[in-house]
Amino acid sequence: MIVLILGLFLFLGTHSVRMVAPGLRERVMAHGGERAWMLPYTVISILGLVLIVWGYGLARQEPIVLYAPPMGLRHLALLLMLPVFPLVAAAYAPGHIRAALGHPMLIATILWGGAHLIANGTLADLFLFGGLAGWAAVDWVSSVRHPRKPAAARRPSIRADVVAVLAGLAVYGLFLAGLHRMLFGVSPV
């Protein structure tokens, strides 16, 4: 469990700099250039992600069960996951979804974490899915309270929304059809 927690600390720590130290990124880049920021940020983030995957795998070998979710909650989790992939796609598409929500990736992460929490009942699940969903909720509130200066943006496009929704639903379908089992060893259905 220590490996998982260390990974979450590193990964979420790097992704929390804007919340806890506003302007640090800009100061580092002004002093040493973009590489001075991106290199350590990327290395620490990747290390954190590797530790999360490894630590979660280790924790699954000897799970500490907190609760056994009933089948109905697993079905609810499938329903909660339905908008997740379209929201992730919308985060990269200049459409009305992104314009209306501001941070569809964070909302997707909250839904993803919440869905996985209600469908899985181990301590490792609580740390992984609860930790990521909780972080995303705090980051979303922080980003609403302290918005970044908007970059020059294109006008929102309905086409971008259609592509995001269709692509997201296609990926969701692939996960249900076997990709989740292939990647994570567990079928969601």
Side-chain angles (χ1 to χ4, degrees):
M1 198 72 64
I2 302 255
V3 175
L4 172 61
I5 293 169
L6 178 61
L8 286 166
F9 177 77
L10 292 174
F11 185 80
L12 296 178
T14 56
H15 286 79
S16 300
V17 170
R18 188 175 73 91
M19 288 187 284
V20 297
L24 177 63
R25 177 180 182 260
E26 290 75 17
R27 287 191 302 274
V28 169
M29 287 174 53
H31 181 68
E34 186 176 10
R35 188 179 192 132
W37 174 260
M38 289 305 296
L39 184 62
Y41 179 89
T42 302
V43 169
I44 294 169
S45 293
I46 291 171
L47 176 62
L49 188 58
V50 167
L51 291 174
I52 289 170
V53 171
W54 183 37
Y56 187 71
L58 291 173
R60 283 177 59 183
Q61 292 175 10
E62 294 181 25
I64 300 169
V65 178
L66 301 176
Y67 60 93
M71 189 57 68
L73 287 182
R74 292 184 177 161
H75 293 131
L76 178 59
L78 288 171
L79 184 62
L80 287 173
M81 285 297 298
L82 187 62
V84 167
F85 292 106
L87 286 170
V88 169
Y92 298 99
H96 296 280
I97 296 171
R98 186 172 79 182
L101 298 178
H103 301 281
M105 179 74 76
L106 294 175
I107 295 168
T109 304
I110 294 165
L111 287 172
W112 170 85
H116 283 78
L117 269 178
I118 64 171
N120 301 284
T122 70
L123 185 59
D125 296 321
L126 180 64
F127 279 120
L128 176 61
F129 303 119
L132 288 168
W135 168 84
V138 170
D139 193 22
W140 184 71
V141 168
S142 174
S143 67
V144 168
R145 286 188 177 169
H146 308 287
R148 293 182 185 175
K149 295 176 186 168
R154 292 185 262 162
R155 279 180 84 174
S157 155
I158 193 74
R159 179 185 168 156
D161 293 328
V162 169
V163 169
V165 169
L166 292 177
L169 291 176
V171 172
Y172 180 70
L174 289 172
F175 266 76
L176 291 180
L179 187 58
H180 194 279
R181 178 188 294 275
M182 187 176 80
L183 292 174
F184 308 112
V186 178
S187 176
V189 290

